[in-house]
């Protein structure tokens, strides 16, 4: 069983919602990433989305754009990110890692070479924001034979017909983008999210995570009410930015922010179990 | 080299999913997929709608001033002493370049789709001006994204856009040039996807943009093909056009693609020279990859990060190129060459002094290549150059090179 599948199975058995933090690999400095990932796990992360920086992140808002710029200034590459995952796995063999980013760095390495290396170092899934199912045939085949889950996005603008198609292609979980916009842009509308998740679940039995627009314990708990996983990115990356000139303090600071969300989600999960 | 039947080209490219061989396609975030399908449907519907075509033809005639003439550059022909040189005068269009052919088409489409807000990216400002112009005429809200560095370089065009009622947003991210303006326009579109139409200025972006912009710009080649037959009694031997994203080049080339006797040459910006790394020539010195919604040749490093480009001409200063050019290169139907900043500047002065036509710096790249090519051809052969725009916008740049400041 894949690490992602096992993770959701265990959480669901306990009536818990998954918490998925996103951080950009190599931001603000490459050495910070592995200790940061361990700190996130200690603070309650169930799965980690590790961002692969790209020079032209067209689906991201200014917070993650700047994170990409900081990482690229340090010459972070897909190769060096795979090394980070390898290092992380020396101490952690259970937390799933999903690489999230854009198609071009994967194209540059070559899909096959990437899939083999990723599997070898312990990557569990990949989410390529600018590669819709229409362009994915070869990519999906290669990820599949190397046991890498392919995670796809569903957006507020996704039609029922497309949802069905995406559900066929998706593995691991489905990531619902809660707002029309870029990462970190606006607050989500929980009623709209609830309605859309109901629709998505008509087409898939995979867990559904929600991201974009989750900023604090309160919004995390509200999303946990309806989703199988809560994804939080820009809020953490903003904290990384604030600590970029004192990176030693950074893992603890980001972890405490995540812990606050973990507590809020746990309180909600507990209330719903006892209710 | 892929072996394909050129006489089936029009039928086969792009395919249903917008592919030109391995290039093109639709590489955008899920939020935009609905919008690009909606656009594709609308475009398919109106492309063959006689009312839409009639409205567009009327605008191209009365508002833009089409057909643009072809001009036999006799002085320059004589001076170079080889092939007869003809100029397709897109510089005479309203707003001063070929860009308006496309903005008219897309704006009319936007109106029919019920969109109330138009956004665009611009490099040199020509596409921004052409978009602001049609938006003003159709009474639509218009926002133009422009790299902060280009806002500085092209102050005159920024002011023109503002006069026309557009909001110009300087983009501070990345290299602060055209590619970053495109990123920012895509971010706007994803946020305002319900009421907004994104008018892309070149044959790039996700399908259907490369095919749609090509179709709107093909009026250049259709007119020119007939004009050459009328004037010289035959097809030209060689077509030459400059290439940034490649919209003026594809506009000229496309109607000639199945005429295998006609050679087609695209001229990219070699900037300070290909060997310096400071250029904007993805077809000549780049590698395939995915950027801004399509797969094409890109200027990138080995890790797949897009690297900075340079060209004296802001309109060529872009790390990608339309996917159809990538395919025409691979199948050998078109050739792609480069010209440096200095060579382009020399050609700019040359045409200005010999023919009394001040060309855009983008166009000057095509001219510079012709000054090398024409003498190698005979007097009974002909070269047709697309004069994609006029040079008024470049006065500051050219004057600064001569040490002058207005």
């Amino acid at each position: 069983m894949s690490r992602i599948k096992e993770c959701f199975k265990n959480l669901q058995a306990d009536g818990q919602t998954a918490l998925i933090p996103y951080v950009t690999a190599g931001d603000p400095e490459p050495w910070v990433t592995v200790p940061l990932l361990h700190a996130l796990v200690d603070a309650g992360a169930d799965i980690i989305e590790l961002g692969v920086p790209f020079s032209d992140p067209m689906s991201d808002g200014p917070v993650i754009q700047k994170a990409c710029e900081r990482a690229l200034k340090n010459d972070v590459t897909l190769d060096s990110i795979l090394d980070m995952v390898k290092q992380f796995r020396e101490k952690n063999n259970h937390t799933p890692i999903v690489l999230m980013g854009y198609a071009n760095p994967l194209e540059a390495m070559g899909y096959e070479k990437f899939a083999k290396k990723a599997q070898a170092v312990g990557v569990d899934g990949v989410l390529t924001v600018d590669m819709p199912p229409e362009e994915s045939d070869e990519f999906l085949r290669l990820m599949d034979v190397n046991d890498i889950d392919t995670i796809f996005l569903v957006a507020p603008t996704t039609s029922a017909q497309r949802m069905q198609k995406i559900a066929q292609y998706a593995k691991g979980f489905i990531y619902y983008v809660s707002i029309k916009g870029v990462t970190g842009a606006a607050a989500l509308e929980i009623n709209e999210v609830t309605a859309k998740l109901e629709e998505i679940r008509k087409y898939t039995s995979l867990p559904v995570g929600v991201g974009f627009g989750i900023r604090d314990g309160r919004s995390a708990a509200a999303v946990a009410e309806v989703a199988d996983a809560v994804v939080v990115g820009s809020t953490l990356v903003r904290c990384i930015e604030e600590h970029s000139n004192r990176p030693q303090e950074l893992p603890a600071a980001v972890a405490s922010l995540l812990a606050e969300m973990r507590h809020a989600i746990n309180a909600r999960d507990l209330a719903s179990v006892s209710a | 080299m892929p072996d394909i039947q050129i006489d089936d080209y029009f039928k086969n490219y792009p395919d249903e999913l917008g592919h030109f061989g391995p290039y093109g396609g639709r590489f955008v975030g899920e939020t935009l997929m609905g919008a690009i399908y909606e656009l594709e449907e609308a475009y398919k519907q109106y492309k063959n709608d006689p009312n839409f075509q009639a409205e567009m033809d009327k605008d191209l005639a009365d508002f833009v001033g089409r057909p643009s003439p072809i001009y036999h550059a006799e002085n320059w022909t004589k001076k170079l002493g080889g092939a007869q040189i003809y100029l397709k005068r897109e510089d005479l269009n309203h707003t001063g370049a070929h860009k308006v052919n496309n903005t008219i088409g897309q704006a009319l489409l936007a109106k029919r789709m019920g969109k109330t807000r138009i956004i665009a990216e611009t490099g040199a400002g020509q596409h921004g001006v052409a978009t602001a112009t049609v938006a003003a005429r159709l009474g639509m809200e218009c926002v133009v994204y422009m790299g902060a560095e280009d806002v500085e370089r092209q102050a005159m065009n920024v002011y023109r856009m503002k006069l026309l009622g557009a909001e110009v947003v300087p983009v501070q991210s990345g290299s602060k040039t055209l590619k970053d303006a495109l990123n920012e326009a895509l971010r706007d579109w994803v946020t305002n996807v319900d009421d907004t139409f994104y008018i892309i200025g070149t044959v790039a972006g996700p399908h259907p943009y490369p095919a749609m912009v090509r179709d709107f710009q093909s009026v250049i080649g259709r007119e020119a093909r007939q004009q050459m037959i009328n004037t010289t009694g035959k097809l030209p031997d060689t077509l030459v056009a400059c290439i940034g994203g490649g919209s003026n080049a594809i506009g000229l080339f496309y109607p000639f693609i199945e005429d295998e006797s006609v050679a087609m040459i695209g001229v990219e910006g070699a900037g300070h020279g290909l060997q310096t790394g400071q250029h904007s020539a993805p077809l000549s010195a780049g590698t395939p990859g995915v950027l801004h919604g399509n797969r094409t040749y890109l200027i990138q490093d080995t890790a797949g990060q897009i690297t900075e480009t340079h060209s004296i001409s802001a309109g060529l200063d872009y790390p990608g190129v339309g996917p159809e050019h990538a395919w025409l290169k691979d199948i050998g139907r078109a050739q792609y060459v480069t010209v440096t900043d200095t060579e382009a500047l020399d050609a700019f002065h040359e045409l200005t002094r010999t023919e009394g036509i001040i060309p855009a710096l983008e166009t000057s790249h095509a001219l510079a290549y012709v000054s090398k090519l024409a003498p190698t051809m005979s007097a009974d052969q002909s070269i047709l150059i697309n004069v994609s725009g006029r040079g008024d916008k470049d006065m500051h740049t050219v004057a600064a090179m001569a040490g002058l400041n207005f």
Side-chain angles (χ1 to χ4, degrees):
Chain A
M1 192 187 298
S2 83
R3 276 195 203 95
I4 294 175
K5 203 169 176 183
E6 194 170 351
C7 170
F8 276 107
K9 198 182 126 205
N10 293 340
L11 288 168
Q12 274 158 0
D14 299 341
Q16 285 191 324
T17 309
L19 177 58
I20 309 181
Y22 165 97
V23 293
T24 304
D27 170 33
E29 288 172 35
W31 67 264
V32 178
T33 301
V34 174
L36 176 59
L37 299 187
H38 289 305
L40 291 172
V41 173
D42 292 344
D46 298 300
I47 297 174
I48 289 172
E49 273 186 15
L50 187 56
V52 178
F54 182 46
S55 53
D56 295 78
M58 64 187 192
S59 295
D60 285 297
V63 173
I64 291 177
Q65 285 172 46
K66 279 189 258 166
C68 288
E69 286 175 19
R70 286 191 297 272
L72 292 175
K73 216 173 269 173
N74 295 313
D75 296 322
V76 169
T77 63
L78 191 49
D79 260 318
S80 64
I81 293 166
L82 291 170
D83 279 342
M84 291 173 192
V85 176
K86 191 175 174 189
Q87 222 183 313
F88 173 76
R89 283 276 173 255
E90 286 168 11
K91 286 189 196 160
N92 180 321
N93 200 29
H94 68 281
T95 306
I97 298 263
V98 172
L99 295 187
M100 180 170 184
Y102 294 80
N104 203 47
L106 304 184
E107 290 243 336
M109 179 178 277
Y111 295 157
E112 185 161 19
K113 190 173 161 201
F114 165 73
K116 285 186 172 152
K117 276 192 167 183
Q119 190 208 27
V121 300
V123 169
D124 302 284
V126 60
L127 197 177
T128 315
V129 289
D130 56 347
M131 202 188 308
E134 284 86 338
E135 299 291 347
S136 297
D137 286 348
E138 173 72 355
F139 180 71
L140 285 172
R141 191 182 64 75
L142 288 164
M143 295 307 131
D144 196 42
V145 296
N146 289 287
D147 298 318
I148 306 283
D149 286 337
T150 41
I151 291 135
F152 281 93
L153 301 174
V154 169
T157 51
T158 305
S159 66
Q161 197 194 349
R162 282 188 67 75
M163 271 184 212
Q164 229 168 328
K165 187 170 183 179
I166 291 168
Q168 281 169 20
Y169 286 80
K171 291 224 169 103
F173 64 97
I174 283 181
Y175 184 142
Y176 179 61
V177 173
S178 64
I179 50 169
K180 289 176 203 163
V182 291
T183 50
L188 56 82
E189 276 294 328
I190 195 71
N191 293 339
E192 286 173 24
V193 172
T194 307
K196 206 72 180 183
L197 292 197
E198 271 174 33
E199 202 187 343
I200 296 170
R201 289 199 170 105
K202 280 191 222 161
Y203 304 108
T204 184
S205 55
L206 288 179
V208 184
V210 172
F212 285 42
I214 295 157
R215 309 184 144 176
D216 48 23
R218 221 174 114 223
S219 47
V223 168
E225 195 74 41
V226 294
D228 302 304
V230 175
V231 187
V232 51
S234 294
T235 300
L236 303 181
V237 175
R238 199 174 288 117
C239 178
I240 294 175
E241 180 179 358
E242 283 160 11
H243 289 80
S244 55
N245 52 4
R246 43 202 162 98
Q248 307 83 333
E249 298 168 29
L250 189 155
V254 180
S256 93
L257 202 54
L258 190 73
E260 185 194 317
M261 297 186 195
R262 178 81 268 174
H263 291 146
I265 292 171
N266 285 354
R268 195 298 318 178
D269 288 345
L270 207 59
S272 102
V273 168
S274 55
Chain B
M1 191 178 289
D3 186 21
I4 72 144
Q5 285 297 110
I6 283 294
D7 41 12
D8 288 336
Y9 188 93
F10 293 144
K11 197 175 73 200
N12 291 340
Y13 300 102
D15 71 10
E16 269 298 296
L17 296 174
H19 296 123
F20 300 89
Y23 305 109
R26 275 182 276 233
F27 293 87
V28 295
E30 179 56 29
T31 312
L32 286 179
M33 288 303 287
I36 61 178
Y37 276 108
E38 181 193 359
L39 173 61
E40 187 189 359
E41 280 312 306
Y43 181 57
K44 271 190 196 158
Q45 180 191 340
Y46 292 116
K47 192 172 148 178
N48 300 313
D49 174 352
N51 290 329
F52 180 82
Q53 282 304 333
E55 191 176 352
M56 183 150 164
D57 289 346
K58 188 170 189 313
D59 275 2
L60 289 177
D62 302 344
F63 189 65
V64 177
R66 301 206 74 89
S68 68
I70 55 165
Y71 167 74
H72 187 193
E74 288 181 80
N75 296 336
W76 201 35
T77 298
K78 207 164 149 195
K79 204 165 165 190
L80 293 175
Q84 303 301 313
I85 299 169
Y86 290 86
L87 308 179
K88 177 63 173 165
R89 300 291 309 277
E90 292 299 299
D91 58 313
L92 295 178
N93 291 341
H94 180 40
T95 72
H98 72 290
K99 292 288 185 190
V100 73
N101 302 328
N102 168 49
T103 59
I104 294 248
Q106 289 199 51
L108 290 178
L109 198 56
K111 203 174 84 175
R112 276 180 164 68
M113 290 172 71
K115 305 289 180 184
T116 54
R117 181 172 176 270
I118 280 175
I119 57 169
E121 85 294 340
T122 197
Q126 289 307 102
H127 173 60
V129 168
T131 303
T133 299
V134 295
R137 180 155 163 275
L138 296 174
M140 296 168 100
E141 184 189 345
C142 179
V143 177
V144 179
Y145 291 93
M146 190 167 184
E149 199 161 290
D150 290 335
V151 168
E152 292 285 315
R153 288 197 277 193
Q154 303 286 343
M156 191 81 85
N157 270 344
V158 173
Y159 188 59
R160 285 168 83 191
M161 288 184 265
K162 286 182 178 164
L163 284 176
L164 289 159
E167 182 193 345
V168 180
V169 181
V171 177
Q172 302 288 352
S173 58
S175 61
K176 302 177 188 178
T177 59
L178 178 55
K179 82 173 173 79
D180 309 288
L182 232 145
N183 289 335
E184 210 56 35
L186 285 164
R187 289 177 188 126
D188 178 311
W189 197 22
V190 99
T191 309
N192 302 290
V193 64
D194 294 328
D195 67 347
T196 297
F197 189 106
Y198 179 15
I199 300 189
I200 295 185
T202 191
V203 284
H207 181 65
Y209 283 101
M212 177 173 72
V213 175
R214 172 198 74 194
D215 291 347
F216 287 140
Q217 291 294 1
S218 290
V219 66
I220 301 170
R222 280 197 307 275
E223 285 175 6
R225 196 172 179 281
Q226 199 53 53
Q227 288 165 324
M228 286 301 286
I229 291 171
N230 294 348
T231 310
T232 68
K234 54 180 188 169
L235 293 173
D237 294 282
T238 302
L239 309 175
V240 182
C242 64
I243 306 241
S247 72
N248 92 81
I250 209 80
L252 177 66
F253 293 174
Y254 187 68
F256 291 91
I257 284 181
E258 292 187 3
D259 299 316
E260 286 190 74
S261 68
V262 181
M264 309 193 302
I265 301 173
V267 186
E268 297 189 292
H272 297 313
L274 292 185
Q275 75 287 353
T276 66
Q278 296 178 295
H279 58 79
S280 55
L283 289 165
S284 306
T287 49
V290 171
L291 179 69
H292 294 150
N294 66 91
R295 184 180 287 117
T296 187
Y297 281 86
L298 300 173
I299 298 175
Q300 57 181 334
D301 64 19
T302 52
Q305 306 297 342
I306 308 307
T307 48
E308 291 213 8
T309 54
H310 164 81
S311 173
I312 189 174
S313 122
L316 301 188
D317 207 348
Y318 179 66
V321 63
E324 191 161 13
H325 286 295
W327 184 231
L328 292 173
K329 171 191 158 80
D330 281 11
I331 63 175
R333 179 62 190 96
Q335 263 180 281
Y336 296 90
V337 299
T338 63
V339 149
T340 63
D341 285 354
T342 318
E343 290 170 317
L345 200 60
D346 289 347
F348 169 93
H349 289 295
E350 182 71 10
L351 192 77
T352 301
R353 296 297 279 267
T354 346
E355 295 289 352
I357 295 171
I358 302 180
L361 284 173
E362 289 79 6
T363 308
S364 301
H365 286 71
L367 301 167
Y369 186 73
V370 168
S371 68
K372 294 188 252 185
L373 177 68
T376 69
M377 293 167 67
S378 64
D380 60 352
Q381 291 182 302
S382 65
I383 299 173
L384 175 63
I385 309 169
N386 196 5
V387 181
S388 54
R390 59 178 174 244
D392 305 34
K393 69 177 174 62
D394 297 314
M395 290 300 106
H396 276 90
T397 310
V398 175
M401 298 293 284
L404 298 171
N405 230 321
F406 297 127

